[in-house]
Amino acid sequence: MPMKRIFRTAHRPAKRAAGYALIGLGSVLAITPLPAGILLAGVGAAILIPADSGFRRWVRERRRSSKWLDGTLNRIGHAAPGSLGRYLIR
């Protein structure tokens, strides 16, 4: 099997795994006084939103019902580097 095909096949599951791992780590670190946990969760969400349609739908529903979450994701989106923030800003 050509390397490009292997890369394309493994790319999305690897992105999903990285995104969920960052959200999990961010959730654990969210209780610390440093804002690192919230930022890690935001980066994980920025990775998952374009890669996972179920997660994208879940985030959209939560943003509609919670002004706090909507505002938090917008703030993280403005602070995130490059294209990661683009997916968080509404």
Side-chain angles (χ1 to χ4, degrees):
M1 190 183 298
M3 285 302 284
K4 278 188 175 183
R5 188 170 181 192
I6 291 171
F7 179 74
R8 270 186 291 171
T9 304
H11 187 68
R12 268 191 201 251
K15 273 182 131 178
R16 286 181 184 148
Y20 283 118
L22 285 172
I23 287 176
L25 184 61
S27 300
V28 171
L29 292 177
I31 59 171
T32 63
L34 300 174
I38 295 170
L39 291 174
L40 283 176
V43 170
I47 291 171
L48 280 174
I49 287 171
D52 190 356
S53 62
F55 185 77
R56 186 171 36 249
R57 195 173 327 119
W58 181 82
V59 168
R60 200 175 301 132
E61 291 169 5
R62 297 302 164 269
R63 284 183 91 148
R64 283 187 196 127
S65 64
S66 171
K67 286 189 180 256
W68 176 84
L69 178 65
D70 188 37
T72 301
L73 289 177
N74 279 332
R75 280 192 301 279
I76 292 171
H78 287 293
S83 64
L84 289 178
R86 180 180 67 182
Y87 295 108
L88 294 175
I89 298 170
R90 193 168 203 193

